[in-house]
Amino acid sequence: MALLTSILQKVASQIEAVILVEPEYELVGHITFKNGKRSCFSSNKLNINGFGSAHLAKDKAYSNFFLRQFGYRVPEGQTFFNAQICNKLSNPRNIDDGFNYAQKLGFPLIVKPLNLSQGILVTKVDNQAEYYEVAEKILANNSGLIVERFYSGNDYRVVVLDNEIMAAYQRIPLFISGDGKSNILELMHHKQEKFIQHGRKKIIDFNDFRIHQKLQKQNLSFESIIPQHTIVYLLDNANLSSGGESVDYTETIHADFQKLSINITKDMGLRLAGVDIITNDITQPIVDYTLLEVNGSPGLSHYAASGETQAKKVEDLYLKVLKALEND
């Protein structure tokens, strides 16, 4: 059973709600509350956020526009579209326009899909060849992409429900640690097995072109043997769904970042959100930050699988979400 589905079933029993789950994939469910109210969920999406706000948050370009108008520091970037969309636009911006813009921003930079989540195809690129490789992959199956400036710093997610910080954690990109005898491919398989043991499923994509690209830049390959205790990063993006790991800061996040995350969530018209921030240290007062994006349906299964404390935080979050759905 999907981890979040099992968590929902567990917390629902505490308020005498009944959950009916579709049995084949166990991702979609129906909730009947004690007072007779009903609601549905699909994977990590519950009816806590309004449709309009959730849809706006999903579109990174639109949400960045409004967040910038509200005074938040969002990445400098621009959208570009595939041929079909460009044919319908009065001011088309195609893949070549994207490269011209990339040259103005300067490498390295980030190229990512317009509407996908979980870090899919989000890539740091360093030159023209890499730009076109990534852009072509994105536009083959997606309407648009975003080219944006690369910002250095630590990657944090802050999970907000109404006026409360439910979780805050740093996201660390997929990496392996050498043992002096195993090659990178073997170490990746060991890590995959460890993920599965902790309930995180098979989340490392061994065919991900970004892993090959990252290794090549470090003059490494799957056959390279890594010295003991040497860390090799395999991806640049830090999404937990692509093999990233978390370090918890829920108890130590500074009040400045708590207030920032709550205000961002409110300004986007959301009640539940994952606010993704790049900054040097989330435990210190705000000096500088970049708001990467706001996720209206934050996936927390990988975070919950990282430890008992994290699982309890996710249980508390979903218990409060269910109570809100029942009583609103």
Side-chain angles (χ1 to χ4, degrees):
M1 178 178 293
L3 180 59
L4 287 186
T5 302
S6 65
I7 290 175
L8 282 173
Q9 289 192 320
K10 179 180 179 180
V11 299
S13 65
Q14 298 177 36
I15 57 172
E16 299 181 57
V18 177
I19 291 187
L20 177 64
V21 179
E22 184 278 324
E24 185 174 3
Y25 299 106
E26 299 181 324
L27 294 173
V28 178
H30 181 278
I31 309 169
T32 303
F33 295 101
K34 186 178 179 181
N35 63 7
K37 283 189 176 182
R38 293 178 172 85
S39 187
C40 297
F41 66 91
S42 175
S43 187
N44 59 314
K45 300 177 179 65
L46 293 96
N47 288 337
I48 190 69
N49 290 323
F51 172 80
S53 295
H55 185 73
L56 174 60
K58 187 177 180 180
D59 190 299
K60 298 176 181 66
Y62 285 146
S63 59
N64 273 6
F65 167 79
F66 288 104
L67 288 164
R68 183 179 290 108
Q69 298 305 306
F70 299 152
Y72 298 112
R73 304 171 195 171
V74 298
E76 181 181 357
Q78 199 166 10
T79 53
F80 302 89
F81 305 97
N82 64 20
Q84 293 89 333
I85 298 297
C86 284
N87 288 335
K88 299 176 182 178
L89 297 176
S90 57
N91 295 303
R93 295 193 299 271
N94 63 24
I95 188 172
D96 297 317
D97 296 318
F99 175 66
N100 292 335
Y101 179 72
Q103 288 183 300
K104 292 178 182 178
L105 280 186
F107 294 100
L109 46 78
I110 298 294
V111 180
K112 61 185 182 181
L114 183 58
N115 290 312
L116 295 183
S117 59
Q118 300 184 328
I120 297 172
L121 290 175
V122 176
T123 310
K124 179 183 176 184
V125 301
D126 290 299
N127 53 51
Q128 180 177 0
E130 290 179 5
Y131 165 79
Y132 276 102
E133 179 184 12
V134 176
E136 287 169 0
K137 287 180 184 295
I138 293 174
L139 296 181
N141 296 295
N142 299 276
S143 61
L145 58 81
I146 300 177
V147 176
E148 66 183 27
R149 188 178 297 281
F150 172 75
Y151 296 86
S152 59
N154 295 318
D155 184 317
Y156 297 93
R157 166 160 287 186
V158 184
V159 181
V160 178
L161 178 62
D162 293 326
N163 291 306
E164 188 174 359
I165 303 298
M166 301 302 299
Y169 51 94
Q170 182 181 350
R171 303 185 298 181
I172 300 171
L174 174 64
F175 68 90
I176 52 92
S177 181
D179 60 9
K181 56 184 179 181
S182 303
N183 65 33
I184 288 177
L185 184 60
E186 291 168 334
L187 293 169
M188 290 171 65
H189 279 292
H190 293 158
K191 187 143 201 170
Q192 184 87 291
E193 291 168 4
K194 186 177 179 181
F195 283 154
I196 294 170
Q197 291 171 3
H198 288 82
R200 292 186 65 181
K201 300 182 180 180
K202 295 181 179 180
I203 57 176
I204 299 178
D205 179 3
F206 291 84
N207 296 316
D208 190 331
F209 77 97
R210 297 173 300 175
I211 293 178
H212 297 270
Q213 185 184 84
K214 182 74 172 176
L215 289 175
Q216 189 176 41
K217 290 179 181 179
Q218 300 172 81
N219 295 316
L220 297 171
S221 70
F222 279 165
E223 290 72 39
S224 301
I225 295 176
I226 306 303
Q228 192 170 16
H229 306 310
T230 298
I231 289 176
V232 175
Y233 288 96
L234 305 177
L235 288 172
D236 290 305
N237 68 299
N239 296 71
L240 302 193
S241 54
S242 56
E245 298 185 37
S246 63
V247 178
D248 206 275
Y249 286 93
T250 308
E251 310 304 326
T252 55
I253 177 175
H254 193 274
D256 285 359
F257 284 102
Q258 293 185 42
K259 182 178 180 181
L260 175 70
S261 301
I262 290 170
N263 288 343
I264 288 168
T265 302
K266 286 182 176 180
D267 284 343
M268 288 295 288
L270 299 167
R271 297 186 62 185
L272 172 65
V275 181
D276 296 342
I277 296 169
I278 291 282
T279 190
N280 286 330
D281 189 346
I282 206 168
T283 70
Q284 299 299 312
I286 292 179
V287 176
D288 194 18
Y289 75 89
T290 302
L291 174 58
L292 289 182
E293 64 177 83
V294 182
N295 194 317
S297 52
L300 298 172
S301 58
H302 298 293
Y303 174 71
S306 62
E308 292 183 6
T309 300
Q310 290 77 12
K312 183 62 167 60
K313 292 182 191 299
V314 176
E315 288 179 14
D316 291 343
L317 166 65
Y318 280 104
L319 179 59
K320 291 182 178 183
V321 169
L322 291 186
K323 287 180 177 178
L325 290 171
E326 181 180 23
N327 297 319
D328 285 356

